[in-house]
Amino acid sequence: MTVWIMISIIIFILLFAGGSAFFFYNVSKIRRNILLGKDIDRTDKPAERIKTMILVAFGQKKMFNRPIPAILHLFLYVAFVITQVELIEIVLDGALGNHRMFRPSLGGFYTFMVSFIEILSVLAFIGTLAFLARRNLLKVPRLVKSELNGWPKLDANFILLGEITLICFIFMMNGADEVLYSRGMSHAQNMGDGSLGLTISSHLGPVLFGGMSEHSLHIIERIGWWGHICMVLGFLNYLPYSKHFHILLAFPNVYYSNLEKKGKFTNLGSVTNEVKAMMDPSFTPPAADPNGPMRFGAKEVTDLSWKQLLDSYTCTECGRCTSACPANITGKVLSPRLIMMKTRDRLEEVGKNMDANKGEFKEDGKSLLHDYITPEELWACTSCNACVQECPVNIDPLSIIMDLRRFLVMEQSAAPAELNMMFNNMENNGAPWQFSPSDRLNWKNE
Amino acid sequence: MSELSVKTMADYMASGETPEILFWVGCSGSFDDRAKKITKAIVKILNHANVKFAVLGTEESCTGDPAKRAGNEFLFQMQAMTNIAVMNGYEVKKIVTGCPHCFNTIKNEYPSLGGNYEVVHHTQLLQDLLNTGRIKIEGGSFKGKKITFHDPCYLGRGNDVYEAPRSVMLNLDAELAEMKRSRQNGLCCGAGGAQMFKEAEKGNKEVNIERTEEALALNPDVIAVGCPFCNTMMTDGVKHFNKEQSVKVLDVAELIAQANDL
Ligand code: SF4
Ligand code: SF4
């Protein structure tokens, strides 16, 4: 083993270990943030949950309500999933100082797999270009809304440009190696077949690099190889800062979906106890919560459930929810996507605050309600469930809206005046309007 | 027009009988002038099909839906528990509602508060009555007319009921045209989530106008609805476009009742 190979093994292992460690460090922070949420049970009906996950997350079922982006996205998605297989070889090659170590033992299957990945990479390349065009040239409305200005827009373009770079590295690596192999100069074990047989690179390689010297070809091949693994590690560590985190969280998020009918809202148990005590003097409410008095509804991210917080980290910012939202369509300030983005932003802020204060949250005088999400947004919602229906990863923006409304009404008595009137009518007359309960059956004789 | 035969739960109790089903009329159906017509249409059909049904009459009270969607969980649960006490007192088993909001609330949100009933929306009951031959429709006045159905959010997306109203209307021999946004993708009329009881927030359009526009683009003779709130919103929308002479907004129950000259 030459000294250069030794050095490259060491660099690789350091890079890989460092990249993975930093990723897991960031993931553990996100996990902690999510677990700041209130407990809810989403472990029932495992069979139905797995089925939902296979259909919606793995099978991308809801994506296909819009076929064009669904197919483009499928290219990227399948390429992403299948390329992980190749990554196993790359990591082992890097750690052991080998070159295409699976080829001799896998033979034809190896050629098939790598060729398959090449074809998927070309499709992903096309998909990525189309996505860049949809965002930057065609300006699909939901992708260029002003709520995405700044980081979200950059983030989306970064990911797509990164994807393109990654694919270029793959073809540099494979293309140069094909030319080297045909000259009998590749580091891959020569099996006397004159070509690696890669569907795309065996043609693309000679066109791009055919006239180059052996030395240049080896350099290009290595740039491709190192570029590839660096991009992968870079991507991995970019995920926790990006909406792109959905590629990992989509699966657990769909698994823990709400399986109830969408029209069914939760009944607050804390309220049930109070109402029972009010209506039935003999009722003894269960012992008070040792964690102090509960809030009715949610004011802060920590008043939401862990699932709602998981939702916020899973959001892809695709805007399907917002483009179907009747309030948003008619020019109201409400955007369900923005509800999710603001929840995540506030949660990140709370997490950073905790990091800076030895794991304890230090009061910063802000809250999700009012400082991030305004009552005007909340009161524009018709609770129509279109956003929930649309979301390809089963996020529920409506549940957050409702929990914040509950806080506004029950803790701050801050309902719009007309709604207070409606409440009064209901309390006094048993109907939201001012009619006498004794007139309820009058229609019969009219 | 024949007299409506409507008995209350208390009437049944007094005569020692039990009805097949409780008809939950709802606040709109009881008090709103337009919605009362839907209530009567439902009653006419029930009478025609000889369904032994009861209403709660003055013992009925709001389900609490608008309070709950507006965030007032206290008021909702007080309403719910009051209603549950009344219905459990009468040993109610099966309920039909004239409103998807009542339907959703009683069906989904009452059980954990102690109210367990089999609940159907009136379009589901109509479907059942048609399937079992208890009512029949012979062509009738909607033959060849163009009808488009607006999915109520709390019937459709909220509870996955999309086919019952459509299969009922198939019996009308009419042309059923679908709006682009229908079924799962249906657009709200703008009334849900307690919006019915307040001014809309600031925007550049009313939701019901957006929705009515979509319906009118199909040039329908009838916009069919299954919810008294949608009815109000769509009726206002049609008036906004001065189309009330040529386009009727009718509940599925009214279509069936009118087709049978009830
Ligand atoms: S439920 Fe509310 S936020 Fe969601 S689409 Fe309907 S109006 Fe918009
Ligand atoms: S909530 Fe769902 S539909 Fe809305 S932007 Fe996020 S991922 Fe897309």
Side-chain angles (χ1 to χ4, degrees):
Chain A
M1 200 178 275
T2 70
V3 81
W4 287 114
I5 295 186
M6 290 290 291
I7 291 175
S8 84
I9 289 178
I10 292 169
I11 294 178
F12 176 82
I13 290 178
L14 287 177
L15 200 66
F16 189 75
S20 307
F22 193 60
F23 172 71
F24 284 110
Y25 169 71
N26 272 327
V27 168
S28 75
K29 269 198 203 164
I30 290 178
R31 189 185 137 82
R32 178 209 55 197
N33 290 354
I34 290 171
L35 293 179
L36 292 175
K38 297 254 171 298
D39 205 17
I40 48 156
D41 184 23
R42 286 281 168 87
T43 53
D44 58 327
K45 306 185 197 156
E48 192 181 340
R49 293 189 178 282
I50 290 194
K51 196 178 134 204
T52 313
M53 186 173 77
I54 290 175
L55 280 175
V56 174
F58 205 71
Q60 317 244 304
K61 180 173 162 223
K62 289 169 95 179
M63 290 290 289
F64 279 88
N65 295 338
R66 305 191 192 199
I68 293 175
I71 288 176
L72 295 171
H73 183 267
L74 192 71
F75 290 164
L76 267 76
Y77 166 69
V78 176
F80 167 77
V81 171
I82 306 285
T83 313
Q84 304 316 309
V85 182
E86 197 187 25
L87 211 58
I88 302 173
E89 185 189 44
I90 295 206
V91 170
L92 287 175
D93 277 352
L96 302 172
N98 290 328
H99 190 83
R100 298 193 185 269
M101 65 182 285
F102 290 160
R103 186 166 185 263
S105 47
L106 294 180
F109 182 67
Y110 182 87
T111 315
F112 168 76
M113 271 316 285
V114 181
S115 294
F116 187 46
I117 291 170
E118 284 204 332
I119 293 168
L120 290 172
S121 299
V122 171
L123 292 177
F125 193 81
I126 296 169
T128 313
L129 288 180
F131 278 152
L132 277 170
R134 282 167 63 84
R135 277 181 191 273
N136 301 298
L137 298 176
L138 301 175
K139 301 200 187 291
V140 174
R142 72 183 157 97
L143 304 177
V144 295
K145 269 186 149 347
S146 62
E147 67 196 38
L148 294 180
N149 284 350
W151 170 245
K153 235 180 215 163
L154 268 180
D155 181 21
N157 282 323
F158 275 163
I159 295 160
L160 294 169
L161 293 173
E163 187 81 33
I164 287 193
T165 316
L166 176 64
I167 295 170
C168 290
F169 280 135
I170 292 181
F171 284 110
M172 278 172 79
M173 171 177 89
N174 287 351
D177 212 13
E178 271 287 7
V179 178
L180 285 167
Y181 196 87
S182 67
R183 297 188 198 163
M185 291 164 181
S186 169
H187 291 307
Q189 188 185 327
N190 194 327
M191 293 164 76
D193 42 6
S195 164
L196 291 167
L198 306 180
T199 309
I200 310 270
S201 291
S202 59
H203 303 288
L204 189 65
V207 174
L208 292 179
F209 315 119
M212 293 188 176
S213 70
E214 182 196 350
H215 184 67
S216 315
L217 286 168
H218 275 303
I219 290 179
I220 290 176
E221 195 274 337
R222 282 295 90 183
I223 292 177
W225 191 92
W226 282 99
H228 184 171
I229 189 72
C230 286
M231 281 306 292
V232 168
L233 289 172
F235 240 137
L236 193 68
N237 280 291
Y238 183 66
L239 293 182
Y241 301 94
S242 160
K243 64 152 185 144
H244 213 48
F245 207 36
H246 78 269
I247 62 174
L248 300 177
L249 290 189
F251 296 89
N253 200 61
V254 172
Y255 182 86
Y256 294 118
S257 310
N258 177 20
L259 299 178
E260 302 282 350
K261 292 281 183 226
K262 291 189 193 66
K264 175 177 179 176
F265 290 10
T266 51
N267 288 337
L268 285 185
S270 47
V271 170
T272 312
N273 288 333
E274 304 228 354
V275 173
K276 275 194 180 147
M278 219 154 60
M279 295 178 69
D280 172 9
S282 65
F283 174 80
T284 30
D289 192 332
N291 303 323
M294 274 250 303
R295 274 179 185 160
F296 295 118
K299 177 189 187 199
E300 186 51 284
V301 282
T302 44
D303 300 325
L304 297 171
S305 75
W306 60 263
K307 176 59 170 67
Q308 290 168 316
L309 301 183
L310 178 62
D311 274 355
S312 78
Y313 274 113
T314 308
C315 177
T316 73
E317 297 171 13
C318 69
R320 285 155 200 261
C321 51
T322 294
S323 73
C325 171
N328 195 275
I329 288 171
T330 55
K332 278 73 172 184
V333 285
L334 171 62
S335 159
R337 162 169 62 187
L338 211 48
I339 298 287
M340 300 318 299
M341 291 166 65
K342 288 174 173 177
T343 304
R344 174 175 170 158
D345 287 349
R346 175 59 182 161
L347 183 53
E348 284 276 289
E349 186 176 62
V350 167
K352 288 202 183 103
N353 179 313
M354 292 175 69
D355 291 337
N357 296 294
K358 303 196 185 74
E360 286 288 320
F361 178 72
K362 199 164 146 245
E363 193 47 57
D364 62 356
K366 290 201 244 170
S367 60
L368 177 66
L369 178 62
H370 298 300
D371 294 299
Y372 282 77
I373 298 173
T374 60
E376 185 181 347
E377 295 169 75
L378 301 174
W379 291 119
C381 175
T382 71
S383 75
C384 73
N385 262 307
C387 51
V388 185
Q389 175 72 40
E390 276 288 311
C391 181
V393 287
N394 284 4
I395 287 169
D396 185 350
L398 173 55
S399 70
I400 297 181
I401 295 173
M402 284 313 304
D403 283 342
L404 295 174
R405 266 193 192 181
R406 284 169 169 174
F407 187 88
L408 276 180
V409 171
M410 292 191 284
E411 296 276 0
Q412 300 190 311
S413 308
E418 303 123 294
L419 291 186
N420 280 329
M421 221 140 74
M422 183 264 281
F423 296 152
N424 278 336
N425 288 331
M426 198 185 289
E427 244 173 293
N428 299 327
N429 318 319
W433 300 287
Q434 217 172 15
F435 290 106
S436 162
S438 57
D439 292 340
R440 234 183 215 270
L441 200 50
N442 288 4
W443 56 267
K444 185 179 129 180
N445 305 313
E446 280 172 7
Chain B
M1 198 175 77
S2 57
E3 265 292 289
L4 295 181
S5 157
V6 183
K7 291 208 281 178
T8 62
M9 270 299 192
D11 296 337
Y12 274 97
M13 190 88 143
S15 63
E17 280 182 292
T18 11
E20 268 179 67
I21 195 163
L22 169 69
F23 173 27
W24 184 276
V25 180
C27 299
S28 287
S30 303
F31 294 119
D32 179 86
D33 284 333
R34 175 69 188 83
K36 283 188 221 170
K37 294 188 182 146
I38 306 171
T39 306
K40 288 189 194 171
I42 296 174
V43 168
K44 284 177 194 163
I45 297 169
L46 293 174
N47 283 165
H48 179 71
N50 286 319
V51 177
K52 246 172 92 183
F53 75 95
V55 296
L56 282 170
T58 53
E59 287 184 279
E60 189 185 281
S61 188
C62 179
T63 60
D65 163 84
K68 187 175 182 87
R69 314 296 140 185
N72 196 336
E73 182 75 5
F74 271 103
L75 185 49
F76 159 70
Q77 291 201 11
M78 283 185 350
Q79 288 299 118
M81 286 191 212
T82 311
N83 285 322
I84 289 169
V86 171
M87 289 196 285
N88 287 356
Y90 285 121
E91 295 181 14
V92 168
K93 302 266 174 321
K94 189 167 178 188
I95 302 173
V96 58
T97 72
C99 164
H101 296 267
C102 302
F103 164 71
N104 174 69
T105 307
I106 302 176
K107 177 170 171 285
N108 294 321
E109 292 161 358
Y110 277 22
S112 77
L113 300 172
N116 292 285
Y117 321 102
E118 182 191 342
V119 191
V120 293
H121 181 249
H122 67 277
T123 57
Q124 292 175 305
L125 183 72
L126 292 177
Q127 184 185 29
D128 193 52
L129 294 176
L130 283 161
N131 288 349
T132 51
R134 290 176 77 177
I135 46 172
K136 288 199 179 62
I137 304 169
E138 255 95 59
S141 43
F142 296 102
K143 202 171 172 152
K145 291 269 164 42
K146 192 186 225 180
I147 303 179
T148 186
F149 181 66
H150 162 79
D151 287 277
C153 300
Y154 277 87
L155 186 64
R157 274 189 297 271
N159 285 286
D160 303 317
V161 179
Y162 300 106
E163 298 315 320
R166 290 179 170 82
S167 84
V168 168
M169 287 187 295
L170 274 183
N171 294 284
L172 296 170
D173 271 342
E175 179 196 345
L176 297 185
E178 291 287 354
M179 285 181 260
K180 193 157 159 258
R181 291 176 282 197
S182 71
R183 292 195 169 84
Q184 280 90 343
N185 303 324
L187 183 76
C188 179
C189 69
Q195 296 294 340
M196 185 73 186
F197 305 96
K198 63 187 267 296
E199 281 300 311
E201 301 304 307
K202 208 159 75 351
N204 51 32
K205 199 175 190 179
E206 295 294 334
V207 177
N208 67 325
I209 301 300
E210 167 87 12
R211 185 53 164 172
T212 311
E213 224 167 30
E214 186 175 2
L216 291 179
L218 297 168
N219 277 318
D221 299 296
V222 177
I223 298 173
V225 293
C227 168
F229 290 168
C230 300
N231 196 316
T232 305
M233 296 310 256
M234 300 305 281
T235 305
D236 286 351
V238 169
K239 279 191 194 136
H240 174 91
F241 291 105
N242 295 317
K243 284 279 166 77
E244 63 266 39
Q245 295 308 321
S246 54
V247 183
K248 298 270 166 277
V249 178
L250 293 170
D251 192 276
V252 176
E254 293 176 302
L255 289 170
I256 301 305
Q258 288 184 19
N260 272 338
D261 287 326
L262 296 175

